[in-house]
Amino acid sequence: MSWTRREALLGLGGIPILGAVWWAGAAGTVGKKRARNAILETLNIQPSLPAAVQGIGGEPVKLGIIGFGIRGEQLCRSLGYATDEWIAAMEEEAALAREEGRPFTALEDFHNQEPLNIRIVGVCDIFDVRAEKAIRSFSDEEVRVKRYATHQEMIASGEVEAVVIATPDHWHAPMAMEALRNNVHVYVEKPMTHTLSETYELREVARNSRAVLQVGHQHRQTLSFKTARDIVDKGILGHVSLITTNTNRNDDNGAWNYDIHPDASPDTIDWSQFLGNAPEIPFNKNHFFRWRKWWAYGSGLSGDLLTHDYDRLNCVLGMGIPSSVMASGGIYTHRDGRNVPDVFQANMEFPDFNTRGSQPSGKAKGMTFVYSATLGNGLSRPTMLMGHDGSMELGNQLTVWPDGRSTRYAEMLESGKMEPQSPIYHYNPAATALDGVSSATSQYFADKGLMWTYIDGKRVDSTFLHMREWLSAIRNGGEVSCGIQEGFEEAISAHMAGLSWKLGRRIEWDREAQRVVPIEGVDLDAALCYSPPGIGQFAPDLVG
């Protein structure tokens, strides 16, 4: 029996793994229990379990929500608060799914979610419609949610212990620093900052605050990534010299062309507050709802989606900030007035990086991290970690193949106990779970392990686990998995990639000085925030 790599993967799909692992041997050994056990014993991979988190006791944590747009609503659902509109939409979708005989578990998952000991007591959103929706949906007989005109007013009120920041990127750091200076706990979405100077300053503020900061990289709760770390630490892949990871989207939502609310106007939106430190321009609905398409408010593919891939690999490898970054790309598929690229490639170099390997000491050192993105094609491309002894495909599941030239597995390869095209290990914690994914963008995040993880075959929202960890640290002390150091590494790496694309040159990191290497005559913060000459114009049909 001889399997190709594709046939082996297809074969994995029909095997009832029951939340753990599966082993596939080479020709002539499949089904031989002794050989199977010998290889599993050699690998000694331990599928990870979720970290124990102490309960959130005492009085409910009083939370304020800053930014109640798409991500703000999602975060509130992870906290146990759903809007009336979302519940009605999910009930309708569930009924339709039953008629069509397909799984759809979003509403069931929400109702089955473990309650968190929190109270949403305040909301700050500059669009009246969103703020009023939160107040209407989350207020009850005990607590009426209060609307705050500014984040400063909310933080200074003394009525909130913690804030969740889900605003455009250019507001992340100013709001987080305001809260931390007042010892108000912070959960802030990625990227943590919008400029280099903000990144340096926020790290100092966080280190000097009594408050707990968690950056919203919820994939740090995904069990496949924890298991992948065990695989790397045990040298099963050997020295990893290359990582390839990708973004592939091909729809309006994935390209940040979100719906524009019909009630949006200068009368319902505080436009000057939205702009903040961004250049002053006339009211523009396109910029307000689709802010990710402009450097003035967002961070492009480098800060928006590269950060997901960088951080999920950083939590597996602990590689830190690259010594240098080179990026390329352009606006090739959505020429709609945006000034951030929709095709983007970044090479991050880690010349001193080393993982446990089977080769002689000193022979192998260094790694390249390659990120490749397009918003004009939806073909799913896997994340691959490529080592001397094996390769690993990593997402919500993971699969390991031996390399035909491996030193560690040379004898097993020679004897036929292993074959390079046959996986030797597969981890699928979701084998018994039914998933109903409702959109291409949701599928993109799900495949990467960014939406949920699985515990005992049951699907669990990874954002819920990430926020629960933060809330537990607030009440009980202890560390969070994505605090200021992890956020610092993520932000610096993303900004280096953005700068490289903007300036068309290599951007370098000075490890000793803990600074991006200056470039004579260039203001790096200004370069990050503004569009290169001749790139991107307003979309006239959407200007208010």
Side-chain angles (χ1 to χ4, degrees), residues 137-154:
S137 296
F138 301 160
S139 296
D140 57 29
E141 294 180 357
E142 293 184 42
V143 176
R144 176 167 177 80
V145 175
K146 180 177 179 179
R147 182 180 183 183
Y148 293 90
T150 67
H151 69 278
Q152 294 98 329
E153 181 187 351
M154 174 186 280

Side-chain angles (χ1 to χ4, degrees), residues 71 75 187-193 214-222 225 302-315 449-451 462-463 465-467 469 480-483 486-491 494:
R71 186 55 179 161
L75 293 172
Y187 185 102
V188 61
E189 270 302 313
K190 54 79 204 161
M192 188 180 76
T193 63
Q214 175 92 297
V215 182
H217 283 299
Q218 68 275 5
H219 51 259
R220 286 182 173 261
Q221 311 299 326
T222 302
F225 298 145
S302 52
D304 193 282
L305 297 177
L306 167 59
T307 53
H308 279 308
D309 286 287
Y310 165 84
D311 189 75
R312 68 194 184 107
L313 273 302
N314 197 26
C315 76
L450 300 175
M451 288 186 68
S462 55
T463 301
L465 295 174
H466 205 48
M467 301 190 89
E469 177 187 86
V480 292
S481 58
C482 198
E486 293 80 10
F488 182 85
E489 292 172 355
E490 165 249 81

Side-chain angles (χ1 to χ4, degrees), residues 405-421:
R405 300 292 182 178
S406 165
T407 302
R408 174 171 180 163
Y409 307 123
E411 292 185 8
M412 288 186 175
L413 290 161
E414 182 67 25
S415 66
K417 292 178 181 178
M418 286 185 179
E419 281 190 353
Q421 292 182 327

Side-chain angles (χ1 to χ4, degrees), residues 486-534:
E486 293 80 10
F488 182 85
E489 292 172 355
E490 165 249 81
I492 291 293
S493 301
H495 296 332
M496 289 174 69
L499 283 168
S500 180
W501 184 78
K502 288 284 191 73
L503 301 175
R505 59 177 293 170
R506 182 185 301 273
I507 303 298
E508 298 179 326
W509 173 248
D510 185 335
R511 184 182 299 176
E512 295 299 320
Q514 286 286 288
R515 289 285 190 274
V516 171
V517 175
I519 300 172
E520 187 175 354
V522 177
D523 182 330
L524 296 181
D525 279 354
L528 269 175
C529 294
Y530 299 106
S531 174

Side-chain angles (χ1 to χ4, degrees), residues 181-360:
R181 287 187 175 112
N182 287 274
N183 296 308
V184 171
H185 306 287
V186 172
Y187 185 102
V188 61
E189 270 302 313
K190 54 79 204 161
M192 188 180 76
T193 63
H194 195 227
T195 66
L196 293 174
S197 59
E198 285 180 344
T199 313
Y200 307 138
E201 184 180 3
L202 178 52
R203 183 169 66 168
E204 292 308 306
V205 172
R207 286 173 171 175
N208 290 292
S209 174
R210 297 194 303 273
V212 178
L213 177 139
Q214 175 92 297
V215 182
H217 283 299
Q218 68 275 5
H219 51 259
R220 286 182 173 261
Q221 311 299 326
T222 302
L223 301 192
S224 58
F225 298 145
K226 295 175 181 287
T227 301
R229 177 142 201 167
D230 184 62
I231 289 171
V232 171
D233 288 347
K234 288 176 176 172
I236 289 167
L237 303 181
H239 174 62
V240 176
S241 58
L242 178 64
I243 293 173
T244 60
T245 188
N246 315 280
T247 290
N248 311 277
R249 293 177 170 186
N250 197 15
D251 64 346
D252 280 343
N253 190 66
W256 308 316
N257 282 315
Y258 305 128
D259 292 340
I260 292 177
H261 198 285
D263 293 338
S265 75
D267 295 328
T268 59
I269 292 172
D270 186 337
W271 179 245
S272 64
Q273 192 174 171
F274 167 78
L275 289 176
N277 58 25
E280 186 173 344
I281 63 169
F283 177 76
N284 188 307
K285 298 179 184 180
N286 199 23
H287 282 225
F288 181 77
F289 289 96
R290 301 170 178 177
W291 55 266
R292 296 179 191 272
K293 300 196 299 181
W294 286 275
W295 289 107
Y297 331 110
S299 309
L301 282 163
S302 52
D304 193 282
L305 297 177
L306 167 59
T307 53
H308 279 308
D309 286 287
Y310 165 84
D311 189 75
R312 68 194 184 107
L313 273 302
N314 197 26
C315 76
V316 171
L317 296 170
M319 70 262 188
I321 298 169
S323 65
S324 66
V325 180
M326 282 286 290
S328 63
I331 304 170
Y332 302 145
T333 65
H334 296 276
R335 303 178 72 85
D336 56 4
R338 72 184 61 208
N339 63 26
V340 301
D342 53 28
V343 172
F344 185 77
Q345 323 291 322
N347 284 4
M348 296 184 173
E349 302 299 337
F350 300 85
D352 297 321
F353 178 79
N354 198 6
T355 54
R356 181 179 170 189
S358 60
Q359 295 175 286

